[in-house]
Amino acid sequence: MAKKYVVTLTIAEREQLLRLTQSGKAAARKIKRAHILLKADLRHLDARWTDEQIRDAYAVHTHTIAELRKRLVLAGLDAALPERPRGHRRRALDGEAEAHLIAVACSPAADGHAHWTLRLLADRMVELKQVERVSHETIRQTLKKMNLSLG
């Protein structure tokens, strides 16, 4: 099957990638991406590797190689090499909800319990409509951030 995005580096791009891989002064992932692009370059058929060979040599998924090709073709070398921003999730507890959590954690435990547990706190935050849902792990991390402990 023909590749949708074919890597055809210019001489200048190839030289830039070679300098990057030989200097060892860039981030390891950036150097890895440079190696992948050099191996995938269509203009150098004698040294060109298949995606499977690249995958095996650099321990990356073939989807990663395809995405790197796409970024190079659509946006250029300067956009293909750097680390892409990773998706960040919206905070489960904003400042107001964190303050409410602390108030609840410092109050007497729920009826029938000697002390608060992470799961009880998570359930109480939902009952109080501070959040739609929250995991006990988020509660733990928030309390740790505030230097609070249960018990």
Side-chain angles (χ1 to χ4, degrees):
M1 183 171 114
K3 304 231 181 304
K4 185 173 182 179
Y5 300 101
V6 179
V7 175
T8 51
L9 299 171
T10 65
I11 293 170
E13 288 172 333
R14 187 164 184 79
E15 287 173 359
Q16 180 183 347
L17 291 174
L18 287 170
R19 278 192 308 275
L20 180 68
T21 59
Q22 294 166 355
S23 72
K25 294 188 180 187
R29 289 180 178 165
K30 188 173 187 177
I31 292 172
K32 183 186 274 192
R33 285 189 290 275
H35 278 293
I36 291 169
L37 290 173
L38 285 167
K39 297 300 183 193
D41 185 12
L42 186 62
R43 292 183 195 251
H44 296 276
L45 293 175
D46 57 323
R48 185 174 172 269
W49 290 14
T50 66
D51 284 359
E52 290 72 25
Q53 289 171 313
I54 295 170
R55 176 199 63 206
D56 294 342
Y58 295 102
V60 295
H61 197 279
T62 51
H63 177 75
T64 303
I65 299 166
E67 284 299 310
L68 186 56
R69 288 175 188 281
K70 180 179 177 181
R71 282 172 45 196
L72 176 76
V73 171
L74 296 180
L77 188 58
D78 291 337
L81 287 177
E83 190 84 25
R84 288 180 62 190
R86 302 196 182 200
H88 294 285
R89 294 176 55 138
R90 184 180 58 83
R91 289 177 52 193
L93 300 175
D94 60 13
E96 185 178 328
E98 284 180 353
H100 210 92
L101 170 63
I102 293 166
V104 172
C106 293
S107 69
D111 290 340
H113 297 278
H115 57 83
W116 286 108
T117 65
L118 297 174
R119 284 181 170 81
L120 281 173
L121 285 169
D123 291 344
R124 179 58 56 97
M125 293 297 288
V126 173
E127 286 172 19
L128 296 172
K129 298 189 184 333
Q130 290 295 309
V131 290
E132 232 178 88
R133 67 178 185 270
V134 65
S135 72
H136 67 279
E137 178 61 14
T138 298
I139 300 295
R140 184 195 67 77
Q141 290 175 0
T142 303
L143 293 176
K144 181 179 177 183
K145 181 175 79 172
M146 302 297 177
N147 289 321
L148 294 174
S149 61
L150 297 177

